[in-house]
Amino acid sequence: MDDRELVQYAKEDKEAFGEIYERYLTKIYNYIYYRTGNQQDAEDLTAKVFYRALSHIENYVDKGVPFQAWLYRIAHNLVANFHRDKGRRKIIPLDDYVAHTLKGDAPDKQAETSEQTEHLMEAIHRLPADRQQLILLKFIEQKSNAEIGEIMDRTEGAIKSLYHRTLLSLRDEIELQQLTLKSDQPNNREKQG
Amino acid sequence: MTSDVQWQNYLNEATDAILTGDDVNGIRSRYGISHKDDTELIGLIEKLNGSFEAVQPTTQFSARLKDELMGVERTGVVWRIRRLPARVQWAAIVAAILGGVLIVIQWFIGAGNRIRSKDHTRIPEEV
């Protein structure tokens, strides 16, 4: 059964909503996990997404956009509210997913890769929310530009252009980060001396 | 000279190739871009590709949330404890352990007192 039919059933039948939940739980959880940086917040927000979807599905109108776009928009709004309320955008704990992505590597390689991944994640989290969303949809969900456009309510061309600008600003962020680190090192040595 | 639009198209195609594990060289030569010009950006795309790994929600979380959404009523002390936030769960575990330790200590003290009082009340066998 495709999403369109399933959503029609889900308006009256909770079992059908359960099927939607099974289809999209992992995707939504992943998206939120990488936007918040820890399991606890990812679980709380994922639960909120599905509660909100359940309570609003009766009013859902199919406008030709895939149902998953609707779910991702709920997730995106809840994550945005979460960061706004908590003022956490710039102090996201990175340990959870840095540790997660390094499972199985040799310890010396882990240390090096861990530092690189942490810098990359820090740079990603300094990007505006829409650019972070684009990166996650592309690299975790591996969605096409057309699909990302449907989720973010933009044209495919606009997504292509946004992706280009995102890569450039991410590169600049990383360069800036490296310069700051280098300039901090002599200061630290002076303090220690 | 490569225009902005060509760069956009190139980077999108190159990303798709990297995501599927294909070679970028063919795409690079088709767009007439030299290796020197795209090293940083292609390196960044490769880093991004290697940094994100799909995560799975725990089975307990998935099952609990589904039950809650479906309106399945669950009872029992263990389920009630599982619904509590992690910090409260830890506090409950610590309280249970401390309670257990106190009971054991009380039991040993009580047993010691009983043995001592038995010794005092013992009647001498021969006078």
Side-chain angles (χ1 to χ4, degrees):
Chain A
M1 196 187 293
D2 68 8
D3 278 3
R4 199 168 286 179
E5 276 180 274
L6 197 55
V7 170
Q8 286 311 314
Y9 284 117
K11 288 183 176 185
E12 286 157 12
D13 178 12
K14 272 197 170 180
E15 287 297 318
F17 188 83
E19 179 67 32
I20 291 175
Y21 171 81
E22 295 287 347
R23 271 186 204 180
Y24 291 109
L25 171 68
T26 306
K27 284 169 188 273
I28 296 295
Y29 178 83
N30 261 277
Y31 174 74
I32 295 175
Y33 178 81
Y34 279 102
R35 291 287 312 272
T36 58
N38 72 81
Q39 187 187 339
Q40 189 74 48
D41 292 330
E43 287 186 355
D44 288 350
L45 289 175
T46 303
K48 281 184 186 171
V49 169
F50 284 98
Y51 271 114
R52 192 170 284 189
L54 180 65
S55 62
H56 288 87
I57 200 158
E58 274 179 42
N59 308 323
Y60 173 80
V61 180
D62 185 357
K63 291 175 184 165
V65 177
F67 177 72
Q68 60 170 318
W70 187 66
L71 279 181
Y72 274 108
R73 278 182 207 167
I74 296 176
H76 176 75
N77 291 338
L78 285 171
V79 170
N81 291 346
F82 166 82
H83 287 309
R84 194 195 54 214
D85 294 347
K86 305 277 178 183
R88 286 185 186 179
R89 200 175 144 212
K90 289 187 178 167
I91 47 162
I92 284 167
L94 301 159
D95 301 352
D96 265 21
Y97 46 60
V98 170
H100 174 83
T101 53
L102 298 173
K103 266 189 274 171
D105 282 350
D108 54 340
K109 198 186 165 212
Q110 267 192 13
E112 191 190 329
T113 321
S114 165
E115 205 177 323
Q116 282 180 0
T117 309
E118 198 169 322
H119 290 161
L120 181 63
M121 292 299 172
E122 280 170 3
I124 291 171
H125 280 108
R126 277 197 293 273
L127 295 174
D130 60 341
R131 294 183 183 195
Q132 288 184 43
Q133 187 181 23
L134 171 57
I135 293 278
L136 297 182
L137 292 172
K138 210 175 237 312
F139 288 94
I140 300 173
E141 300 301 332
Q142 306 207 342
K143 294 205 176 294
S144 67
N145 287 332
E147 287 172 313
I148 296 172
E150 283 170 337
I151 292 167
M152 294 178 67
D153 201 16
R154 294 181 193 205
T155 63
E156 196 177 341
I159 296 296
K160 262 188 191 179
S161 162
L162 181 66
Y163 179 58
H164 183 205
R165 280 181 279 132
T166 301
L167 286 176
L168 294 177
S169 53
L170 195 53
R171 182 194 62 187
D172 295 344
E173 275 287 346
I174 292 168
E175 274 174 13
L176 191 70
Q177 206 173 35
Q178 282 166 349
L179 283 174
T180 316
L181 282 173
K182 273 180 195 165
S183 66
D184 278 352
Q185 277 169 353
N187 288 343
N188 288 342
R189 270 188 223 127
E190 276 167 29
K191 275 179 198 168
Q192 282 168 359
Chain B
M1 190 155 174
T2 318
S3 71
D4 252 15
V5 176
Q6 279 174 310
W7 265 105
Q8 283 171 21
N9 291 336
Y10 167 62
L11 289 171
N12 275 281
E13 277 189 48
T15 303
D16 290 343
I18 290 167
L19 284 170
T20 51
D22 292 334
D23 191 26
V24 180
N25 286 328
I27 305 167
R28 185 182 284 129
S29 58
R30 186 150 45 82
Y31 279 89
I33 289 169
S34 74
H35 198 282
K36 200 180 71 187
D37 291 336
D38 73 353
T39 308
E40 277 182 329
L41 289 176
I42 294 295
L44 178 59
I45 295 167
E46 281 168 348
K47 252 192 225 169
L48 285 166
N49 186 36
S51 298
F52 293 108
E53 195 180 310
V55 286
Q56 289 289 329
T58 63
T59 46
Q60 284 145 317
F61 167 71
S62 315
R64 189 192 71 210
L65 180 58
K66 189 172 181 185
D67 285 349
E68 285 173 3
L69 289 165
M70 299 292 104
V72 176
E73 288 219 3
R74 294 175 79 170
T75 52
V77 178
V78 175
W79 182 75
R80 275 166 203 266
I81 291 172
R82 272 188 188 166
R83 286 191 69 194
L84 297 169
R87 282 186 208 118
V88 182
Q89 284 184 25
W90 277 110
I93 289 167
V94 170
I97 291 169
L98 284 176
V101 169
L102 280 174
I103 289 168
V104 170
I105 290 170
Q106 283 293 325
W107 186 84
F108 274 115
I109 291 169
N113 286 342
R114 274 196 300 277
I115 291 166
R116 253 180 261 128
S117 65
K118 265 186 190 172
D119 287 345
H120 285 300
T121 53
R122 192 177 289 158
I123 302 161
E125 285 169 5
E126 277 183 28
V127 181

